[in-house]
Amino acid sequence: MTTEFFMPMLPPTMTHQMKQVRVVKGKPVFYEPAELLAVREKLQCHLFEHIPRQPYQGAVRLTTKWLFPITGKHYDGEWKTSKPDTDNLQKMLKDCMTFLHFWGDDAQVASEITEKFWAACPGIYIRIEQLPGR
């Protein structure tokens, strides 16, 4: 089973790492500020139409290409070497995909290929592949 799609959008630059903390009754409580909740909602809305009929079972490979709008002297297809970091981008995306039942648990992502570029057509390309095995 393979799922492949492109979501044209301005990719979010706020990441899972931007959670906030406050102290309640002497204990730290983590929360997502409104801007981060908006990123989560944006991703879920774009992912919604691509939810597989059945969640993936077992090991999967997740390939993502984050395509950011060209700024400055960058060119289409140039590697993006500035923030946000790919691992931070992936965390929020995988959390949203888990919430929408692309799979049972994002721990099933046993292989991951993540790239980020400057692009004339911004968005996020996603490919999910079932890996062989039981």
Side-chain angles (χ1 to χ4, degrees):
M1 183 162 107
T2 300
T3 303
E4 185 175 25
F5 56 93
F6 178 71
M7 301 184 302
M9 62 163 32
L10 290 176
T13 55
M14 284 197 79
T15 66
H16 183 78
Q17 300 302 105
M18 296 177 176
K19 283 189 173 183
Q20 301 291 316
V21 65
R22 66 176 170 247
V23 178
V24 177
K25 296 183 182 180
K27 296 189 179 189
V29 176
F30 291 91
Y31 69 96
E32 290 185 344
E35 299 87 358
L36 197 53
L37 288 172
V39 167
R40 183 178 297 279
E41 185 176 302
K42 176 181 181 176
L43 284 172
Q44 288 176 354
C45 286
H46 279 82
L47 287 165
F48 186 78
E49 66 183 88
H50 304 288
I51 298 171
R53 289 186 181 176
Q54 294 293 319
Y56 279 84
Q57 302 294 316
V60 298
R61 172 175 295 128
L62 176 63
T63 302
T64 56
K65 296 179 188 284
W66 295 79
L67 307 172
F68 291 88
I70 297 171
T71 61
K73 296 182 180 183
H74 298 289
Y75 60 87
D76 191 35
E78 178 185 356
W79 294 102
K80 184 177 187 316
T81 58
S82 56
K83 291 190 180 284
D85 300 350
T86 56
D87 54 335
N88 294 336
L89 290 168
Q90 288 295 97
K91 178 65 177 148
M92 175 73 78
L93 178 67
K94 290 193 304 189
D95 285 352
C96 290
M97 294 174 82
T98 301
F99 177 78
L100 293 171
H101 305 290
F102 277 75
W103 42 63
D105 187 322
D106 57 8
Q108 290 173 240
V109 179
S111 173
E112 205 164 338
I113 301 167
T114 306
E115 301 175 332
K116 58 182 182 168
F117 303 93
W118 298 105
C121 182
I124 305 170
Y125 164 83
I126 296 175
R127 179 181 171 94
I128 308 161
E129 301 168 70
Q130 186 77 54
L131 293 174
R134 293 195 260 170

